[in-house]
Amino acid sequence: MVYKMSDDNTVYIGKKETMAYVLASVTLFNEGAEDIFIKARGRSISKAVDVAEITTRRFLSNAEIIDIITDTEQIKDGDKTINVSSIEITIKVKE
Amino acid sequence: MVYKMSDDNTVYIGKKETMAYVLASVTLFNEGAEDIFIKARGRSISKAVDVAEITTRRFLSNAEIIDIITDTEQIKDGDKTINVSSIEITIKVKE
């Protein structure tokens, strides 16, 4: 599965280092986004939380995490269907 | 650092397999808890989301995730202080 790193206002967390996604997030805000979404599945979920925490605490003190939702997605692996947890973190510029 | 697996209404996610924490969560509800907290730090955050998703979707359809918050905790490692992300997931019996 190939993820683009960012698309519209969404940053998809994959195998790159954490700071690459922090930079992608900060860039979206600098380009004028008022809210962005950080999405991850499976083991990348921990990294998504790191990205959201670092982005809001170290780089963008005028932005905050306003919503976190989780889900279970079904992914086909050959004949089997695997359940994988996912997370979507919304960061928004403070008003 | 030693975590107890559950304390009052909180399940602390550590190195055991996911289903051990699902069982701990289900047990807390079966013992009468109306809401429980699943807490994790660092790489265990992904497992915490798995535990919450499996607990609510497969075992306790009358419970739901009502809140997810993240934080950054500072942990001393010798002379250094390391920032570690944490998560707290609240699951509550539906009314």
Side-chain angles (χ1 to χ4, degrees):
Chain A
M1 171 119 9
V2 177
Y3 273 137
K4 278 198 293 183
M5 196 156 143
S6 70
D7 183 14
D8 296 330
N9 286 1
T10 301
V11 176
Y12 298 94
I13 306 300
K15 293 184 183 300
K16 295 184 185 176
E17 60 175 332
T18 300
M19 292 309 292
Y21 301 106
V22 172
L23 177 63
S25 301
V26 172
T27 301
L28 285 175
F29 279 113
N30 286 343
E31 290 176 351
E34 292 190 352
D35 46 23
I36 70 166
F37 306 95
I38 297 172
K39 295 185 181 182
R41 293 197 293 209
R43 290 176 181 276
S44 297
I45 288 174
S46 301
K47 193 186 291 182
V49 172
D50 285 340
V51 170
E53 284 287 318
I54 294 170
T55 298
T56 53
R57 288 176 191 272
R58 205 189 306 173
F59 290 95
L60 295 172
S61 55
N62 66 329
E64 61 188 341
I65 297 168
I66 60 161
D67 195 26
I68 304 174
I69 59 172
T70 62
D71 199 359
T72 298
E73 298 182 11
Q74 299 195 325
I75 297 179
K76 285 198 174 176
D77 180 19
D79 290 344
K80 289 191 297 185
T81 300
I82 304 174
N83 289 325
V84 178
S85 299
S86 64
I87 197 167
E88 181 181 313
I89 303 171
T90 307
I91 300 176
K92 190 174 170 56
V93 175
K94 292 178 188 172
E95 301 196 351
Chain B
M1 169 119 9
V2 177
Y3 274 136
K4 279 198 291 183
M5 196 156 141
S6 69
D7 182 13
D8 295 330
N9 286 1
T10 302
V11 175
Y12 298 95
I13 306 299
K15 293 183 184 299
K16 295 183 185 177
E17 61 175 331
T18 301
M19 292 309 293
Y21 301 106
V22 172
L23 178 61
S25 302
V26 172
T27 300
L28 284 175
F29 279 112
N30 285 343
E31 289 175 352
E34 292 191 352
D35 45 23
I36 70 165
F37 306 95
I38 297 172
K39 295 186 182 182
R41 293 198 293 210
R43 289 177 181 275
S44 297
I45 288 174
S46 302
K47 195 187 291 182
V49 172
D50 285 339
V51 170
E53 285 287 318
I54 294 170
T55 298
T56 54
R57 286 175 193 272
R58 207 188 306 172
F59 290 95
L60 295 171
S61 55
N62 66 329
E64 61 187 341
I65 296 168
I66 59 161
D67 195 26
I68 304 175
I69 58 172
T70 62
D71 198 0
T72 298
E73 299 182 10
Q74 299 195 325
I75 297 178
K76 285 196 174 176
D77 180 19
D79 290 346
K80 290 191 294 185
T81 301
I82 304 174
N83 290 325
V84 178
S85 299
S86 64
I87 197 167
E88 180 181 314
I89 303 171
T90 307
I91 300 176
K92 190 174 168 57
V93 175
K94 292 178 189 171
E95 303 196 350

